[in-house]
Every structure is written in C-alpha cells, then in structure tokens.
Amino acid sequence: MDINTIRNQFPVLDQQVYGKPLVYLDNAATTQKPLCVIEREREYYLHENCNIHRGVHYLSQKATEAYEHARQTVADFIHAKESREVVFTRGTTESLNLLATSFEHHIINEGDKVLVTAIEHHSNLVPWQQMIQRHHGKLLVVPMDDNGVLDLDCYEELLKESPKIVSIAHISNVLGTVNPVKEMIGMAHQSGIPVVIDGAQSIAHHAIDVQDLDCDFFVFSGHKMYAPMGIGGLYGKTEWLKKLPPYQFGGEMVDTVSFEKTTFNVLPFKFEAGTPNVGAALGLETAVQFLQSLDRGEVERYEAQLLLSAIQKLSEIEGIRFIGEAEQRSGLVSFIIDGIHPYDLGTIIDKMGVAVRTGHHCAEPVMTRFGIPGTVRASFALYNTMEEVDIFVNAVKRAAMMLR
Ligand code: PLP
C-alpha cells in the first residue's frame, strides 16, 4: 500500500489551515472523497444526467443501466445474495427510519418491545424509541461495562422479553468498540427475532459479508466510506423486504394506481419512492471499486497500527482518560483530559491544523453513562499517516499544557 499514491487521490488533504498542514482526523463523521469518485459524479452530470427507469430514450436507459449496475456492485461488495436486497437511501439515518416505520405498520402491536444497546448513535435509537412509544411499548437497552463492552448475559436475558426487533451498532462511533454482532445475531435468531446491524462505522474499515453475519438488515452511509453525501443503503433479506410495507409513497414505487387502490412495485423499487440521487449512487459504486482495488486486509492492518500508535502515545499524557477501552476496538479513539473541556482542547488543536471532533457525537446516553459532557474523538482513514498521528498527539500535549 503506497500511502503517497493514495493521498494523491485526495487533493483536499493537501492544504494548509491557519498556516499549518491539515491533519484530518474526523473520518468517523465523514471521509474525504478520492478523485475517481468526484470524477464519476462529474461525468454523470456532464454526459449522462437523466431521470431513470421511466424513459425509453437513450440517455434514460443509459442512466438506468448505470444505476442498476451500481446496485449490483454494492450488493457484491457486502456479499448480498441478490441486488434487489439493496435499497438505495440517503444513508444510515434514512435506512433506520425506513425500517422503524415499516415495522411500525406491519409488525408492531400495542405494548411491543424493541431492543437496542447502550452504545447507539441517536440514529439507531430515536427512530425506534419514537415508534415504540406511539404504541405504549418499551425500548430494551443492553448495558455496557466501564470499558464500553456490552453485557451479553444481560442481552440474553433481555431477549427473553421477546422484542420484535434487535438493532445494534457494528462499531460504536464514540468508543470504537467492535461488537460481537455475529454472536448476537445468532442469539437473537434462536428466538426468531430479526436483527438490524448499523454498519455506519464498520463498512469503510472491514470487509462486510451479510450472508456470513446472517443479519436480517444492514444499514450504512456512503459518505463515511469515501462516497458522496446523500447516498447510502439498506440491505435486507428478500423474505423481509417482501413482507415489509413501503416507507414513502409516490412515483417509482408503484405498480398500478387508481383512485380506489394502489399496488406496489417489486423489490427494491417498492422502497425507492421518487427520483433517486443517481449521481451519488454512481459515486458510491466508484468508492466501492476504489476500496476493492486495495488489499483490504492490508488496509485493516495499517489502520489498526495508526490507532494503536495514537493510543500508546496519548497514554503518556497526564490525566488522560480513554472513553472506551474494549479489547476489540477499531477506527477511532475517544478521550478526555482531567480539568480540560473537550471543546477547548478541540478548538486549540484546530488552530494547529488538526481536525478532530468534540462533543457527544450524537450519543448522549453514552455520555450520561460515563458522566461526562463529551469527548475528543480522533478517527482514522486509510490515507492518514504515522506522521499525522505524531502531529496530533503533540498538538494535544501542547494544548493540554496551555489549558492547565
Ligand atoms: N450510526 C452510527 C454508528 C454513526 O456513526 C452515524 C454517523 O455518525 C450514524 C448512524 C448516522 O449516519 P448518517 O448521519 O450518515 O445517516
């Protein structure tokens, strides 16, 4: 893996902020986009732009073919059985809202339960919470220990309360914990309970095989895996997607319409009402091809080294407290330093050119669990370097000295 060749594909990284070279460590929020992805979207708007599925003319057919090809590429990437198991959405949040709404209309009855965990992003919490509250039901929450590891004994007990669905993050966006999702899916399936995996933080870092995981649904965002914003996906097993009712209504998702009655289109179109973001879907396909062009095992090992180095070097700082110390961690490190507000630290290192995220990271219950207002979070991508890790750690050390 030649890091310089890779970095050359990300011109945005090659800039100065406040007179310092940019060190971009906010990849869990969104990754930068390689030239090939930007070019693909540009190419679409320059030469191929057209509404899809509805036209008999050349451009429309070409755009339709390209869009459906992108769906197949994404399906292969996550090892789905068929391309119709992949629904294009705006991203993880929309995919989860789609599922919560469809479950509400088909599966959920008064007083039912949904199971999530204590580490969820608001996107995998609030849609379920709001939905279940409308039915006077209950949200079951798997607790975690002080290291940010889920309590699987408790999970087993909560499954006995027969939730209608389980929805869990593959990797925590605050703690970096890699949850044992395969095992958790197996446990839920023993009781016939379907499982959603929130893959927002895993898909860019690890190869995903939905058949091997045996998850019923897998949701993700393109913009966190080098693709454009406004595109993402929902994978669902065919049997589930067939069963669930549509989420939004309008053009494209219908079969026949009269004033009395509407019948719905086949999969996956039933879940894609209205004109989709075709250009972004093509950009997502190119991002997938970009990842496929690399040795993903090597990328995984490289990113693990970046993380390990950051953790080891940060550990030297007096008063540092890591938030999330699970053995299985990936992609990011979160921490606070005694007596220093995360926001102040983040603001000062920004002036040194280092971009990290501070705050609750859309996971307020995690902050409450640890009794903190927020953390500083550094998250890594395949274009980051060991030198950047050093610049980051030195910036944190200097900022801590200034703020004490
Ligand atoms: N789930 C997790 C674990 C996340 O990290 C995020 C975003 O940070 C989301 C869901 C929401 O993703 P999006 O805003 O792309 O819909």
Side-chain angles (χ1 to χ4, degrees):
M1 199 172 114
D2 179 9
I3 197 71
N4 285 329
T5 310
I6 287 181
R7 284 182 74 87
N8 284 340
Q9 295 189 52
F10 294 86
V12 71
L13 298 173
D14 184 22
Q15 63 174 298
Q16 304 232 324
V17 292
Y18 308 110
K20 304 277 178 348
L22 170 67
V23 174
Y24 185 78
L25 298 178
D26 194 17
N27 296 290
T30 199
T31 57
Q32 300 301 343
K33 325 299 173 202
L35 280 172
C36 55
V37 167
I38 297 166
E39 273 305 314
R40 181 66 190 99
E41 223 182 338
R42 190 177 123 89
E43 185 62 22
Y44 169 72
Y45 285 113
L46 278 178
H47 301 297
E48 299 163 62
N49 176 55
C50 196
N51 212 329
I52 55 167
H53 293 140
R54 282 171 280 225
V56 289
H57 61 80
Y58 175 80
L59 267 193
S60 177
Q61 288 190 12
K62 198 169 167 213
T64 303
E65 265 170 37
Y67 184 74
E68 291 309 320
H69 194 273
R71 194 192 306 280
Q72 184 66 57
T73 302
V74 172
D76 293 343
F77 183 60
I78 59 172
H79 199 220
K81 264 192 208 145
E82 315 174 77
S83 69
R84 64 179 176 161
E85 292 179 317
V86 173
V87 175
F88 283 126
T89 65
R90 284 194 297 127
T92 307
T93 303
E94 188 175 43
S95 299
L96 289 165
N97 276 279
L98 184 163
L99 286 176
T101 307
S102 292
F103 263 74
E104 173 168 21
H105 293 310
H106 190 63
I107 309 277
I108 300 293
N109 293 310
E110 197 70 0
D112 274 347
K113 294 165 186 165
V114 170
L115 189 150
V116 295
T117 82
I119 70 164
E120 301 309 325
H121 186 283
H122 294 162
S123 290
N124 194 26
L125 167 58
V126 183
W128 302 115
Q129 176 199 59
Q130 295 299 303
M131 180 273 271
I132 208 71
Q133 281 178 357
R134 282 193 287 274
H135 299 274
H136 309 104
K138 194 171 160 196
L139 200 64
L140 306 173
V141 184
V142 184
M144 64 174 139
D145 69 14
D146 291 342
N147 290 326
V149 176
L150 294 176
D151 182 337
L152 290 195
D153 291 335
C154 203
Y155 175 59
E156 197 169 15
E157 283 307 303
L158 289 172
L159 286 174
K160 290 182 188 155
E161 293 197 37
S162 303
K164 283 290 167 71
I165 191 160
V166 166
S167 194
I168 29 181
H170 199 170
I171 297 180
S172 158
N173 68 307
V174 181
L175 312 163
T177 310
V178 183
N179 289 320
V181 288
K182 192 170 172 183
E183 188 183 345
M184 294 175 83
I185 292 163
M187 287 163 77
H189 283 177
Q190 275 177 18
S191 311
I193 303 165
V195 183
V196 182
I197 299 300
D198 173 353
Q201 293 298 340
S202 60
I203 194 161
H205 302 289
H206 306 282
I208 301 296
D209 184 333
V210 289
Q211 290 187 67
D212 179 56
L213 288 175
D214 198 26
C215 52
D216 300 277
F217 305 96
F218 185 93
V219 297
F220 62 95
S221 299
H223 71 96
K224 294 182 195 289
M225 50 175 290
Y226 311 102
M229 291 193 175
I231 190 76
L234 159 68
Y235 156 82
K237 284 182 181 167
T238 303
E239 72 220 53
W240 269 111
L241 292 183
K242 274 189 176 165
K243 215 164 15 187
L244 291 176
Y247 161 59
Q248 290 181 332
F249 301 87
E252 200 64 35
M253 50 76 63
V254 291
D255 181 22
T256 60
V257 179
S258 71
F259 286 115
E260 289 73 37
K261 189 173 180 246
T262 295
T263 58
F264 303 125
N265 206 339
V266 294
L267 292 180
F269 313 113
K270 180 173 92 171
F271 292 106
E272 291 182 2
T275 300
N277 192 344
V278 181
L282 304 187
L284 173 60
E285 174 176 42
T286 306
V288 165
Q289 289 162 342
F290 165 72
L291 281 168
Q292 284 170 330
S293 73
L294 303 167
D295 178 339
R296 293 207 76 193
E298 198 183 345
V299 169
E300 208 173 306
R301 286 190 293 281
Y302 177 68
E303 289 182 347
Q305 280 168 14
L306 293 174
L307 179 62
L308 187 67
S309 169
I311 292 170
Q312 281 171 350
K313 288 172 180 156
L314 286 169
S315 310
E316 295 162 6
I317 298 173
E318 207 189 304
I320 195 159
R321 176 182 165 203
F322 292 106
I323 305 298
E325 293 194 90
E327 236 169 73
Q328 300 298 323
R329 284 157 85 176
S330 178
L332 59 94
V333 56
S334 256
F335 63 91
I336 51 172
I337 298 178
D338 271 355
I340 298 175
H341 198 283
Y343 179 80
D344 295 336
L345 192 90
T347 307
I348 289 186
I349 69 172
D350 172 51
K351 297 290 182 296
M352 301 176 193
V354 181
V356 292
R357 192 145 290 245
T358 62
H360 57 55
H361 316 295
C362 293
E364 278 190 55
V366 177
M367 301 302 129
T368 308
R369 164 67 180 75
F370 286 96
I372 52 174
T375 75
V376 178
R377 181 187 74 185
S379 51
F380 302 94
L382 51 80
Y383 42 63
N384 289 125
T385 64
M386 285 293 176
E387 193 192 350
E388 287 183 313
V389 170
D390 290 342
I391 296 171
F392 156 63
V393 176
N394 287 334
V396 173
K397 285 181 180 166
R398 275 178 60 201
M401 264 164 36
M402 288 161 70
L403 289 164
R404 278 214 173 100

